[in-house]
């Protein structure tokens, strides 16, 4: 076969594939999104809160503290005390607008409890909790997820999802 034809074919293939490879974006991430735009996680150990008399008041199993590129910081926990379990998310909203958060506590047997919270703009930290429920089974079988939407009515885009990461692995 003629070398000129092979060279011309190679140039055509190269010029066709180069724009496709460039539009794919960086490896391991969505196109056009830089590594600094991804939420940052700060690992947190479970916290045991103690009452003033030295007894155990509540046990918190928390996921990592996350920060979104939109200025929302959140950490979500499952709390257990005296046979009750509930979810709590701690947040700070520096996005410049009021947001909406939905906190879900999920437990064994498909049990789910949700709370809807208005998240005011500002540097002050806040929190949102689900109602307390009687613990069914082991507390480690519960987990919580908080989702922050980009508008006060909850119709905007999802800006941050924070989880307690405390679900026990299930045996199959």
């Amino acid at each position: 076969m003629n070398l000129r034809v092979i060279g011309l074919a190679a140039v055509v293939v190269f010029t066709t594939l180069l724009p496709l490879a460039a539009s794919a974006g960086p490896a391991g991430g969505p196109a056009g999104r830089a590594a600094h735009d991804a939420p940052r996680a700060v690992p947190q150990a479970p916290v045991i809160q103690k009452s003033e008399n030295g007894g155990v008041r509540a046990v918190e199993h928390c996921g990592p503290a996350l920060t979104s590129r939109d200025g929302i910081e959140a950490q979500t926990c499952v709390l257990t005390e005296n046979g009750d379990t509930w979810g709590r998310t701690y947040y700070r909203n520096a996005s410049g607008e009021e947001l909406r958060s939905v906190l879900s506590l999920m437990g064994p047997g498909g049990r789910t409890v949700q709370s809807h919270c208005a998240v005011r703009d500002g540097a002050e930290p806040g929190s949102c909790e689900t109602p307390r429920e009687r613990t069914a089974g082991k507390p480690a079988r519960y987990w919580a997820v908080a989702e922050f939407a980009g508008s006060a009515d909850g119709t905007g885009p999802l800006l941050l999802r924070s989880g307690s990461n405390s679900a026990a692995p299930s045996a199959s």
Side-chain angles (χ1 to χ4, degrees), residues 53-107:
N53 64 7
V56 174
R57 189 177 82 216
V59 177
E60 283 186 322
H61 294 280
C62 299
L66 300 175
T67 303
S68 77
R69 65 182 174 150
D70 300 298
I72 304 154
E73 300 173 21
Q75 182 178 28
T76 302
C77 306
V78 172
L79 293 90
T80 307
E81 176 185 42
N82 297 329
D84 289 336
T85 301
W86 69 100
R88 179 185 294 160
T89 187
Y90 303 99
Y91 62 83
R92 184 173 313 211
N93 177 13
S95 69
E97 62 183 85
E98 185 172 314
L99 306 175
R100 175 62 100 186
S101 174
V102 177
L103 175 61
S104 302
L105 175 69
M106 295 157 280

Side-chain angles (χ1 to χ4, degrees), residues 18-42:
L18 182 61
L20 291 174
S23 68
R33 185 168 180 178
H36 69 277
D37 289 345
R40 296 182 308 260
V42 179

Side-chain angles (χ1 to χ4, degrees), residues 90-133:
Y90 303 99
Y91 62 83
R92 184 173 313 211
N93 177 13
S95 69
E97 62 183 85
E98 185 172 314
L99 306 175
R100 175 62 100 186
S101 174
V102 177
L103 175 61
S104 302
L105 175 69
M106 295 157 280
R111 297 169 48 129
T112 302
V113 179
Q114 285 189 335
S115 290
H116 297 262
C117 302
V119 180
R120 291 188 177 89
D121 179 41
E124 292 299 316
S127 66
C128 175
E129 289 189 0
T130 65
R132 294 180 182 213
E133 296 276 317

